[in-house]
Amino acid sequence: MIDGKMRLVAFCHNPKCHHNQALDLEAIKAKLGPDAPAMSDDLIPKLKCARCAGKQVGLTYTPAYDEIKRVDVNAYRKAREGR
Ligand SMILES: [Zn+2]
């Protein structure tokens, strides 16, 4: 996952904060090592919000932008053909 074209975005669940930040996977890899677990359940306990220091942080995996475009096109095509 770390070597793939994925973006990892952390969201703060604090309703007064809602900070979100893309995580630098290369930095995580450098910090935790190439074999570091990169699943949310493993990473979330290590994270805290950079703005409010809250520990209620959620993670979302997002494909890199060119991947998003391709996924959207495929979804659109599938939706059309599904009718
Ligand atoms: Zn926060």
Side-chain angles (χ1 to χ4, degrees), residues 12-14 17-19 49-54:
C12 178
H13 289 308
N14 181 342
C17 177
H18 278 310
H19 182 61
C49 175
R51 183 180 291 174
C52 75

Side-chain angles (χ1 to χ4, degrees), residues 13-77:
H13 289 308
N14 181 342
K16 291 177 182 170
C17 177
H18 278 310
H19 182 61
N20 65 78
Q21 182 176 18
L23 298 182
D24 186 344
L25 290 178
E26 290 298 323
I28 292 175
K29 191 161 75 170
K31 195 172 175 182
L32 302 179
D35 296 326
M39 301 304 291
S40 352
D41 286 350
D42 297 309
L43 283 177
I44 283 174
K46 302 181 196 300
L47 297 174
K48 69 178 178 184
C49 175
R51 183 180 291 174
C52 75
K55 298 288 282 181
Q56 288 181 287
V57 178
L59 288 176
T60 300
Y61 292 93
T62 309
Y65 287 119
D66 53 337
E67 297 291 325
I68 288 176
K69 216 176 270 180
R70 195 184 307 160
V71 167
D72 284 348
V73 168
N74 285 339
Y76 178 63
R77 193 179 296 153

Side-chain angles (χ1 to χ4, degrees), residues 74-83:
N74 285 339
Y76 178 63
R77 193 179 296 153
K78 199 181 276 183
R80 278 186 65 189
E81 290 173 355
R83 279 184 196 171

